[in-house]
């Protein structure tokens, strides 16, 4: 028995010290929230807003959730939510009591510029920045910040709150719209609901309202990828309730005996048109969804010769257009992976190929989406000129996943930790890519798993990428420990197992609705066009429910 306990302790020590590593500033783990309602209801929100730089804790690692929020503090949080990269703002003071050297001046100035704050509404042009902000003021600022049009037709006489008489008539429409969007709620008491317009807000309450603003910040296009083993889920779920378009991963490159590189929907790879494909297309054709074809290739032994051969490229383009016509696809998604520039200049060659492809797609009004790998992923693929590709293509889809390190089992890495996903997204935007063309590629088909065991007194650590169905099955059947990693914004499941007398410890990191929502809100935060999900067939119910809401 003692030997078994000792072994389990050793196993725990093998995996427990491992932490998710990534090249990004870590957030502060707050020490005073666990006994507060914010922790039980909105803990992930609190840490997400910290990752986004909207809020931060105090130097003593506290958040002080019950502290009142001042006017300048809420204005700053709101503007940081609406303007991720605040640079231009008026440097001329408007309020007599807001100095241009004040830390909050840029945010107050921007709020004035956006008509969130209207100086004439403040007596003697004094903002009183340190004064606790009221719920009434918050409602007005939020609705103005979201750009909701208010006109004479929107003016209402009464709200549904029992203290309606305490709400100024001109402010009632703002409150109603904030309530409609579920950003602000009333206080429930025995008699009914009260708004309490003159109540101040705590830091915890402000977090929840800022979260509501973030959710309302634009709509995201949601594309779903259909590939192997997708049919059962596609048939069971009304896809139009989840996605705007479906991308079919049914084509790849192939090589003829003479060395020519060709387009193929019947290649030896997994990316090929399946038997019975007509039924899958019918599912989409019977809905309001758009459908596209994806050409996926990961072998550079096929990609590089193609990029060097103009004749093969022209034949490939002709075959792509024929396939789009034959299957009534609206466009092509080019997913040529693992490209490095190397001494032959494949970066430039790929751009030239995409130019020619786009020119040939135009007459038929077919769209072009180009999938690229991020430049902060392990292996660093530098064969993608994000700026030039985005100028050619209708969309550029960045695959912000596959960050796990397969060759170093002593370092726990995730397939998509939020700090690295954020870094990948900001990198591509900082290169001047139009946010309205950017799609954030997310992967829910598999997680990462470390299995640690002993054999002949030797430690063995193995790495796997189990599919999501098996992960959720293990969580449902095994007695283990679930923890959410707020540094990476991913869930972890850890359990022990005894097989054939051998004890082992298993640690799985995966995606759930909480980790996925953090990435969806990241996309909304930066105002990009949308997200894509790889792939239909492995999307778990909690994530489907999340996608329906967004």
């Amino acid at each position: 028995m003692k030997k078994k306990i000792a072994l389990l302790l050793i196993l725990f020590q093998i995996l427990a010290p491992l932490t998710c590593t990534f090249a990004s500033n870590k957030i502060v783990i707050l020490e005073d929230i666990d006994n507060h309602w914010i922790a039980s209801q909105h803990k992930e929100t609190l840490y997400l807003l910290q990752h986004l730089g909207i809020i931060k804790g105090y130097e003593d690692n506290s958040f002080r959730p019950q502290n009142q929020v001042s006017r300048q503090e809420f204005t700053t949080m709101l503007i940081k939510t609406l303007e991720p990269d605040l640079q231009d703002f008026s440097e001329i003071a408007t309020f007599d009591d807001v100095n241009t050297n004040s830390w909050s001046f840029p945010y107050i100035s921007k709020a004035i510029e956006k008509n969130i704050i209207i100086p004439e509404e403040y007596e003697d042009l004094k903002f009183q920045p340190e004064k606790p902000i009221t719920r009434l003021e918050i409602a007005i600022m939020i609705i103005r910040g979201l750009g909701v049009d208010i006109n004479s037709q929107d003016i209402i006489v009464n709200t549904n709150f029992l203290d309606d008489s305490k709400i100024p008539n001109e402010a009632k429409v703002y409150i109603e719209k904030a309530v409609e969007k579920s950003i602000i709620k009333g206080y429930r008491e025995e008699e009914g609901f009260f708004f309490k317009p003159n109540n101040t807000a705590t830091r915890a309450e402000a977090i929840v309202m800022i979260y509501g603003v973030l959710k309302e910040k634009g709509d995201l296009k949601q594309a779903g990828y259909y590939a192997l083993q997708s049919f059962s889920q596609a048939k069971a779920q009304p896809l139009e309730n989840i996605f705007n378009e479906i991308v079919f991963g049914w084509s790849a490159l192939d090589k003829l005996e003479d060395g020519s590189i060709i387009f193929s929907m019947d290649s030896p790879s997994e990316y090929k048109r399946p038997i019975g494909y007509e039924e899958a297309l019918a599912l989409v054709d019977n809905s309001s969804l758009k459908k596209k074809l994806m050409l996926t290739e990961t072998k550079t032994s096929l990609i590089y010769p193609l990029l060097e051969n103009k004749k093969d490229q022209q034949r490939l383009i002709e075959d792509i257009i024929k396939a789009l016509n034959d299957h009534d696809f609206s466009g092509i998604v080019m997913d040529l992976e693992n490209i490095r520039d190397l001494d032959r200049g494949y970066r430039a060659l790929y751009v030239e190929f995409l130019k020619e492809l786009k020119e040939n797609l135009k007459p038929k009004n077919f769209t072009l989406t180009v999938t690229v790998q991020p430049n902060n992923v392990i292996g660093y693929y530098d064969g993608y000129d994000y700026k030039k590709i985005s100028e050619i293509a209708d969309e550029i889809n960045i695959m912000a996943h596959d960050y796990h390190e397969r060759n170093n089992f002593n370092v726990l890495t995730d397939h998509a930790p939020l700090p690295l996903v954020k870094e990948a997204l900001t990198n591509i935007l900082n290169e001047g890519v139009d946010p309205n063309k950017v799609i954030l590629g997310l992967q829910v088909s598999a997680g990462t798993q470390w299995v640690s065991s002993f054999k002949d007194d030797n430690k063995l650590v193995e790495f796997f990428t189990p599919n999501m169905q098996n992960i959720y099955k293990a969580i449902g059947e095994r007695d283990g420990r679930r923890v959410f990693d707020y540094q990476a914004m991913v869930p972890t499941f850890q359990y022990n197992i005894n097989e054939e007398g051998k004890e082992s410890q298993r640690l799985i990191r995966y995606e759930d609705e909480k980790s996925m929502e953090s990435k969806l809100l990241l996309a909304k935060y930066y105002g990009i066009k949308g997200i894509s999900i790889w792939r239909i067939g492995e999307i778990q119910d909690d994530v489907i429910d999340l996608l329906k809401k967004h």
Side-chain angles (χ1 to χ4, degrees), residues 274-308:
I275 296 173
Y277 69 88
E278 297 91 347
E279 191 172 359
L281 291 177
L283 287 175
V284 177
D285 289 336
N286 292 332
S287 70
S288 58
L289 297 170
K290 292 183 178 179
K291 65 178 191 286
K292 294 180 180 178
L293 176 67
M294 178 172 70
L295 190 160
T296 298
E297 190 53 70
T298 60
K299 298 187 184 77
T300 54
S301 59
L302 297 176
I303 296 171
Y304 291 161
L306 172 69
L307 297 181
E308 295 173 0

Side-chain angles (χ1 to χ4, degrees), residues 308-461:
E308 295 173 0
N309 191 308
K310 292 288 186 181
K311 183 179 178 181
D312 285 354
Q313 290 176 30
Q314 192 55 49
R315 179 166 60 177
L316 185 90
I317 291 171
E318 292 171 1
D319 289 343
I320 286 173
I321 292 174
K322 183 177 186 304
L324 298 182
N325 272 320
D326 290 348
H327 298 84
D328 198 25
F329 289 118
S330 64
I332 184 74
V333 177
M334 293 300 297
D335 179 24
L336 302 188
E337 300 183 16
N338 305 326
I339 300 176
R340 291 187 171 88
D341 197 22
L342 303 179
D343 56 356
R344 300 204 180 187
Y346 292 118
R347 181 182 173 99
L349 289 175
Y350 191 33
V351 168
E352 289 304 310
F353 165 67
L354 291 173
K355 278 183 183 177
E356 187 65 24
L357 173 59
K358 180 60 180 175
E359 285 302 311
N360 283 267
L361 293 172
K362 280 181 181 178
K364 296 283 189 178
N365 291 320
F366 291 133
T367 62
L368 173 62
T369 299
V370 180
T371 296
V372 299
Q373 287 161 293
N375 58 18
N376 65 340
V377 76
I378 294 168
Y380 182 63
Y381 303 105
D382 62 350
Y384 307 97
D385 189 323
Y386 299 147
K387 175 67 170 168
K388 289 183 179 178
I389 289 174
S390 70
E391 291 170 348
I392 297 166
D394 299 284
E395 296 173 341
I396 181 167
N397 186 332
I398 183 164
M399 298 186 295
H401 48 78
D402 293 339
Y403 286 101
H404 46 270
E405 173 58 86
R406 294 178 174 85
N407 300 319
N408 184 359
F409 299 151
N410 293 316
V411 177
L412 180 59
T413 50
D414 290 303
H415 80 97
L418 185 70
L420 288 181
V421 175
K422 178 187 174 186
E423 183 179 73
L425 185 54
T426 54
N427 284 351
I428 198 170
L429 294 175
N430 288 339
E431 289 199 17
V433 174
D434 182 356
N436 293 313
K437 285 191 173 187
V438 176
I439 304 292
L440 182 62
L442 306 176
Q443 186 257 84
V444 296
S445 64
T448 53
Q449 175 175 301
W450 283 259
V451 177
S452 179
S453 60
F454 278 88
K455 184 176 181 181
D456 300 327
D457 295 328
N458 292 318
K459 180 182 76 171
L460 299 175
V461 180

Side-chain angles (χ1 to χ4, degrees), residues 171-343:
K172 290 179 181 179
V173 62
Y174 293 96
I175 292 172
E176 282 292 287
K177 289 188 178 294
V179 171
E180 283 174 14
K181 295 177 179 297
S182 299
I183 295 175
I184 294 179
K185 297 180 180 179
Y187 292 96
R188 184 171 187 172
E189 297 186 3
E190 190 173 333
E191 309 94 305
F193 285 90
F194 292 78
F195 184 72
K196 301 185 180 180
N198 297 317
N199 273 28
T200 57
T202 65
R203 282 167 61 81
E205 290 170 333
I207 289 304
V208 177
M209 289 183 275
I210 289 295
Y211 168 63
V213 172
L214 194 53
K215 288 197 296 182
E216 285 292 322
K217 193 182 172 186
D219 293 325
L220 292 173
K221 169 186 173 179
Q222 295 182 171
Y225 280 81
Y226 184 106
L228 291 175
Q229 301 173 337
S230 293
F231 183 73
S232 59
Q233 186 171 50
K235 191 173 183 180
Q237 290 284 347
L239 295 177
E240 61 268 27
N241 294 340
I242 308 170
F243 301 109
N244 304 105
E245 72 179 26
I246 304 298
V247 182
F248 291 87
W250 289 350
S251 65
L253 300 181
D254 203 356
K255 188 175 184 179
L256 299 179
E257 289 184 2
D258 65 0
S260 300
I261 307 301
I262 63 168
F263 167 89
S264 175
M265 296 186 76
D266 301 294
S267 75
S269 77
E270 61 182 312
Y271 301 103
K272 58 187 175 184
R273 184 175 52 190
I275 296 173
Y277 69 88
E278 297 91 347
E279 191 172 359
L281 291 177
L283 287 175
V284 177
D285 289 336
N286 292 332
S287 70
S288 58
L289 297 170
K290 292 183 178 179
K291 65 178 191 286
K292 294 180 180 178
L293 176 67
M294 178 172 70
L295 190 160
T296 298
E297 190 53 70
T298 60
K299 298 187 184 77
T300 54
S301 59
L302 297 176
I303 296 171
Y304 291 161
L306 172 69
L307 297 181
E308 295 173 0
N309 191 308
K310 292 288 186 181
K311 183 179 178 181
D312 285 354
Q313 290 176 30
Q314 192 55 49
R315 179 166 60 177
L316 185 90
I317 291 171
E318 292 171 1
D319 289 343
I320 286 173
I321 292 174
K322 183 177 186 304
L324 298 182
N325 272 320
D326 290 348
H327 298 84
D328 198 25
F329 289 118
S330 64
I332 184 74
V333 177
M334 293 300 297
D335 179 24
L336 302 188
E337 300 183 16
N338 305 326
I339 300 176
R340 291 187 171 88
D341 197 22
L342 303 179
D343 56 356

Side-chain angles (χ1 to χ4, degrees), residues 442-501:
L442 306 176
Q443 186 257 84
V444 296
S445 64
T448 53
Q449 175 175 301
W450 283 259
V451 177
S452 179
S453 60
F454 278 88
K455 184 176 181 181
D456 300 327
D457 295 328
N458 292 318
K459 180 182 76 171
L460 299 175
V461 180
E462 299 174 275
F463 175 84
F464 301 94
T465 54
N467 66 42
M468 206 61 71
Q469 289 187 25
N470 287 336
I471 290 173
Y472 273 65
K473 182 180 179 182
I475 293 171
E477 295 178 353
R478 299 289 181 180
D479 184 17
R481 182 168 175 255
R482 295 178 70 173
V483 177
F484 198 86
D485 182 344
Y486 295 101
Q487 294 289 355
M489 294 299 285
V490 296
T492 297
F493 181 63
Q494 183 174 310
Y495 65 98
N496 296 331
I497 192 170
N498 188 319
E499 291 180 330
E500 299 178 355

